[in-house]
Amino acid sequence: MAEPVDNPVDDVARAAAYPRRFRSAEARGARIGRPLRVLGRVRGVDEALLDRIGRAFYEADDAGAALAAAMRLPAGTPGRVTQAMLRAALAGPADPPTASLPRPGNEIGRLHRDRSVDGPISTQPTDLTSEGQEGASNQGQPRALRRFLAEVTDVPGWVDWDLVEQGAEVQRRLGQNAADVLLQLSLVGGYRFGGPTDLLVATGALTGGTLRRLAETQEWTVGLTEPGALRPFAPAWRATLHVRVMHALVGASFAGRTGQDAWDTARWGLPINQADQAATLGLFDGTLILGCRALGVRIPPSDSRALMHLWKWVGHLMGVHPDFLVDDEWTRHRLNHHVLLAQAGVSGAGPRLARAVVAAQAERTYRGPSWWQPARARFERERLLSMLTAFLGVRSMRELGLPLRPPWAHAYLLPLNTWRYRVLGRLPGGPERLERWGRRRSTAVLASYCARPEPSSSVTRTGSEAGSQTSSSSPNTGITA
């Protein structure tokens, strides 16, 4: 269903530098991106940026790929990395996994921040990543594992922990709104493009339990917002790296397939590539901000900057190339708009995945007596379809094979959020009340996904088991299902 594309890229050069999906439905991407172009203040098309995105379809997470290759080596092969080695390494050089949150006594000095400079400048080292400690802990580890650990424990100079914690607070305050936007605009919205959706289906996304995968993603995103959870060796830091390793294993698994099951690299690019990783990151930061604003939430520039910094650090941990890590939302909106222009049209996998997400609303367990469950499940399904219709538009809903609904959910959410965030939230004690409400709603949403017994979370799986499944953070899928 790709539409004709009119751009100056020569066909021969395109075949050599880019996969066939690149700009194969540019007119469609421009149509879908019209609201983003207006709200994101995007001016024109940057051919150099599009070229960078196109080349990134053939680029992988090098450190993650090297680690995945080492984990797939036969037992007894020199340089092989086992699951036990990875778990021990991510647990920290001294602390067991149950005591991995950084302690105040571990910090070297105060977290320096020069308020006269417009931007984070502090390296803010900890003794967890000091040279002596790292050298002692890495003795005897395979080279691929040492390289991976060096990349994820060496905190870049641009990281500002104060800003990371502020971003976590902002996302906690978003509560139900964040859950709605990430599920609807980020996840289901990402199903409108071929490539990542086809990879999800090929990994068994339709048979692996949509509810479980939604729960895993919700648990991960909520965990990222806990105080201190993204410091080296803390719980969310470890969970993020487990997801990264799993993605690398999935990519290695598909890259090595031949015959009928072979991944069509010439069409889609690498199975897990930098362009799709950048697109996914954009669904978590820039899209989250615009989506919440569309629901009436007030996100001032200071909150926007903090959210972007939180996700910039997460993107670094996920192995996203520095070219696609940005500091402000307007740069992200510009990048996201160009990502839309670079995408393919919808494939057969998108509607199947979208319908599975809608059907999963009936599998959730809601608060209240058992007789209330069918009525609540129907309400949540209708609410989801109503919000999807408003977020995605009529044409996208039809492309995904989803029924249309009037935007009644937005009709009650807009005044509710306006009152909550623009009036009550600006009163004395308002931010604290919003944070408590956000925590309660995030906990309730997570409980509705997790109440029924499910297999263990994929963010704790590594090794060959991860080669057959992918979680929410697959590229351009909104990091769920």
Side-chain angles (χ1 to χ4, degrees):
M1 281 185 269
E3 298 181 21
V5 55
D6 180 16
N7 65 71
V9 180
D10 179 78
D11 290 340
V12 176
R14 174 196 297 276
Y18 319 118
R20 293 195 304 274
R21 73 187 268 201
F22 177 61
R23 302 179 77 168
S24 63
E26 186 171 350
R28 176 179 180 269
R31 172 180 58 79
I32 291 175
R34 281 183 196 131
L36 175 61
R37 188 180 65 211
V38 174
L39 298 175
R41 308 173 187 174
V42 180
R43 299 291 181 266
V45 175
D46 185 340
E47 289 293 333
L49 178 55
L50 273 171
D51 170 72
R52 178 69 189 94
I53 295 170
R55 289 184 286 109
F57 284 115
Y58 283 134
E59 297 175 8
D61 163 21
D62 292 335
L67 180 60
M71 296 182 72
R72 289 167 57 84
L73 291 173
T77 305
R80 180 175 184 259
V81 177
T82 65
Q83 297 184 41
M85 287 180 185
L86 179 64
R87 284 194 299 267
L90 298 186
D95 294 337
T98 55
S100 58
L101 274 172
R103 298 183 298 272
N106 280 343
E107 205 68 57
I108 298 178
R110 295 181 59 82
L111 303 184
H112 173 68
R113 179 129 172 249
D114 186 348
R115 303 287 176 174
S116 67
V117 178
D118 184 20
I121 63 172
S122 172
T123 57
Q124 303 171 11
T126 71
D127 68 358
L128 291 173
T129 57
S130 63
E131 183 177 353
Q133 187 101 262
E134 183 181 343
S137 66
N138 285 351
Q139 290 180 358
Q141 290 179 341
R143 181 178 179 180
L145 182 55
R146 292 199 307 271
R147 175 189 177 187
F148 184 80
L149 286 175
E151 181 173 308
V152 299
T153 58
D154 185 13
V155 180
W158 51 260
V159 175
D160 183 330
W161 291 118
D162 292 343
L163 208 53
V164 170
E165 294 301 325
Q166 183 184 341
E169 292 175 7
V170 172
Q171 185 143 340
R172 287 197 298 270
R173 290 200 296 268
L174 295 177
Q176 178 77 55
N177 297 293
D180 285 339
V181 172
L182 291 176
L183 175 66
Q184 299 156 14
L185 193 54
S186 301
L187 172 63
V188 181
Y191 291 162
R192 292 177 290 180
F193 310 99
T197 51
D198 298 83
L199 179 63
L200 277 168
V201 171
T203 56
L206 291 175
T207 59
T210 299
L211 191 70
R212 171 179 55 78
R213 288 178 286 105
L214 293 175
E216 290 166 356
T217 300
Q218 178 71 10
E219 184 176 13
W220 178 66
T221 54
V222 171
L224 294 177
T225 67
E226 292 300 321
L230 279 168
R231 297 290 185 110
F233 306 109
W237 180 89
R238 291 199 311 273
T240 301
L241 296 179
H242 276 297
V243 173
R244 177 179 176 179
V245 173
M246 183 190 61
H247 288 169
L249 287 163
V250 169
S253 171
F254 277 83
R257 295 187 182 185
T258 58
Q260 189 176 2
D261 294 332
W263 178 253
D264 192 347
T265 304
R267 180 185 183 187
W268 300 121
L270 296 180
I272 303 287
N273 62 70
Q274 286 290 341
D276 287 334
Q277 290 285 68
T280 296
L281 183 60
L283 293 172
F284 274 92
D285 52 21
T287 300
L288 174 64
I289 292 171
L290 287 183
C292 286
R293 284 190 181 135
L295 294 177
V297 177
R298 175 179 177 268
I299 302 180
S302 59
D303 286 356
S304 165
R305 179 169 176 263
L307 268 177
M308 293 300 300
H309 196 71
L310 168 73
W311 286 103
K312 182 180 180 181
W313 171 234
V314 174
H316 170 78
L317 294 178
M318 290 292 296
V320 177
H321 193 281
D323 286 352
F324 304 119
L325 300 177
V326 302
D327 293 297
D328 68 275
E329 66 166 294
W330 309 110
T331 305
R332 176 61 73 193
H333 299 328
R334 178 173 176 269
L335 178 57
N336 280 350
H337 184 262
H338 285 73
V339 165
L340 285 174
L341 300 181
Q343 294 301 321
V346 65
S347 70
R352 298 169 66 193
L353 290 166
R355 289 193 292 266
V357 170
V358 174
Q361 305 310 303
E363 302 175 34
R364 296 168 62 184
T365 302
Y366 303 98
R367 294 181 61 182
S370 58
W371 58 266
W372 169 248
Q373 297 300 309
R376 178 63 187 276
R378 180 175 177 79
F379 170 82
E380 291 295 336
R381 179 182 183 276
E382 292 300 311
R383 179 180 183 274
L384 174 60
L385 291 171
S386 171
M387 297 188 74
L388 283 172
T389 302
F391 272 139
L392 305 185
V394 173
R395 290 179 68 174
S396 289
M397 291 291 284
R398 287 175 175 163
E399 286 180 335
L400 293 175
L402 298 177
L404 301 174
R405 294 292 186 271
W408 60 265
H410 275 68
Y412 84 82
L413 285 172
L414 278 169
L416 179 62
N417 282 328
T418 298
W419 171 253
R420 179 177 284 137
Y421 287 91
R422 298 178 183 273
V423 179
L424 295 180
R426 303 177 77 171
L427 297 176
E432 291 76 15
R433 286 193 293 271
L434 284 176
E435 184 172 344
R436 290 193 296 270
W437 170 82
R439 279 185 176 276
R440 288 196 303 270
R441 290 307 308 149
S442 297
T443 300
V445 171
L446 179 59
S448 72
Y449 286 120
C450 298
R452 298 183 183 184
E454 296 285 353
S456 59
S457 172
S458 67
V459 297
T460 61
R461 288 194 299 266
T462 55
S464 59
E465 183 180 2
S468 61
Q469 292 192 30
T470 186
S471 85
S472 47
S473 41
S474 294
N476 218 20
T477 64
I479 307 199
T480 41

